[in-house]
């Protein structure tokens, strides 16, 4: 009989690429991971891994077994959801991942509603960059998370995970108010044409730029949007928190692309905001098979109710 825990290790190896990465993510030693995978090979009765020096790759049989592991683990999530549904009342920990703007603007109201309807549930929020969510969900470190994607950075489909659309928000070019840019826009208004986006960004091709830190989706979005407009931005500052980004823009330290939820508080006269024909789309993510888990479903419903009315919501779920 194949051991489910070892199947999970094999799946993580397929996703992460190295035994060391699997060990680090799952709090094992590399030798323990290697030993467990060797046991799995004996259970399977044929080689699952090819070892070439320090690297390991899956054999065709190993790759096929990973596909079965995805299906097995999804069914286990469905079984856990059925058991949770059979219990009277929701209780216990619900581990939630969220990126900073959603943590500030959406999650608190959702937690209030969740506590009112399910007082026995213990939500535990961790700020998590969307780029790290897939691994955290598959490893069991999170139960549900908020993720986002941009027009220039579409989210790849992650095996073993499912998502549901939550809301869409427009993007703005933030520049010091003294910079000659088109008339500032504070509400979504009509969406400019794509050619206008290129023109707005190219007007700042020689300016210093403020982006998120390297490796984040927000950083990739800003760089790719500029490249699509015909230039590579000269990055001066790398900051993840949008309120700080706007403070740096107000101080004349550069320009930036920010989402609507990143624009907090009253309008700053030192910052000019110009609507771009770009969107950031936020989704609720969870392990495949967990959509019907009552705690996940309750939190997703609370999130939908907490979305500010000015944000666009999807017409239908994925």
């Amino acid at each position: 009989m194949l051991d489910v825990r070892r199947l999970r290790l094999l799946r993580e190896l397929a996703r992460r690429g190295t035994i060391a990465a699997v060990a680090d993510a799952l709090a094992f030693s590399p030798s323990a991971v290697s030993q467990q995978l060797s046991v799995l090979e004996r259970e399977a009765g044929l080689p699952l891994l090819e070892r070439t020096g320090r690297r390991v790759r899956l054999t065709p049989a190993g790759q096929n077994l990973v596909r079965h592991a995805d299906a097995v683990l999804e069914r286990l999530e469905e079984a856990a959801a059925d058991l949770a549904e059979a219990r009277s009342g929701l209780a216990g920990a619900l581990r939630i991942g969220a990126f900073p703007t959603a943590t500030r603007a959406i999650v608190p109201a959702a937690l209030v509603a969740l506590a009112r309807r399910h007082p026995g549930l213990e939500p535990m929020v961790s700020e998590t960059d969307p780029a790290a969510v897939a691994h955290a969900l598959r490893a069991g470190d999170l139960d549900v998370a908020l993720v986002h994607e941009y027009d220039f950075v579409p989210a790849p489909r992650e095996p073993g995970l499912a998502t549901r659309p939550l809301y869409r928000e427009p993007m703005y070019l933030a520049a010091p108010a003294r910079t000659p840019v088109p008339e500032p826009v504070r509400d979504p208004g009509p969406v400019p044409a794509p050619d206008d986006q290129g023109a707005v960004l190219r007007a700042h091709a020689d300016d210093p730029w403020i982006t998120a830190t390297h490796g984040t989706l927000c950083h990739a979005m800003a760089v790719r949007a500029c490249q699509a407009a015909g230039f590579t931005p000269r990055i001066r500052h790398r900051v993840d928190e949008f309120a700080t980004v706007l403070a740096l823009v107000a101080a004349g330290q550069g320009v930036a692309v920010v989402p609507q939820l990143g624009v907090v508080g009253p309008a700053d006269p030192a910052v000019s905001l110009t609507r771009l024909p770009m969107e950031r789309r936020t989704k609720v993510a969870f392990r495949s098979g967990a959509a019907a888990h009552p705690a996940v479903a309750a939190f997703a419903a609370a999130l939908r109710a907490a979305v500010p009315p000015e944000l666009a919501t999807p017409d239908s779920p994925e």
Side-chain angles (χ1 to χ4, degrees), residues 152-267:
F152 289 98
V153 193
R157 194 162 191 85
E158 290 284 355
L161 301 187
T163 61
R164 296 291 183 272
L166 186 61
Y167 62 84
R168 310 191 314 269
E169 59 186 308
M171 304 292 295
Y172 295 89
L173 186 282
R178 63 178 178 274
T179 303
V181 296
E183 187 69 21
V185 177
R186 286 291 300 187
D187 58 71
V191 179
D195 289 346
D196 296 335
Q197 170 178 295
V200 170
L201 297 178
R202 280 194 298 275
H204 299 280
D206 296 327
D207 291 341
W209 278 73
I210 306 164
T211 71
T213 52
H214 185 76
T216 62
L217 299 182
C218 297
H219 175 273
M221 171 274 300
V223 171
R224 292 182 189 179
C226 291
Q227 290 173 338
F231 69 97
T232 297
R234 178 170 57 89
I235 300 172
R236 175 180 288 176
H237 303 292
R238 291 176 172 82
V239 177
D240 288 329
E241 213 285 316
F242 286 116
T244 305
V245 168
L246 292 173
L248 291 171
V249 171
Q253 290 296 301
V255 299
V257 177
V258 299
Q260 181 168 325
L261 285 183
V263 183
V264 298

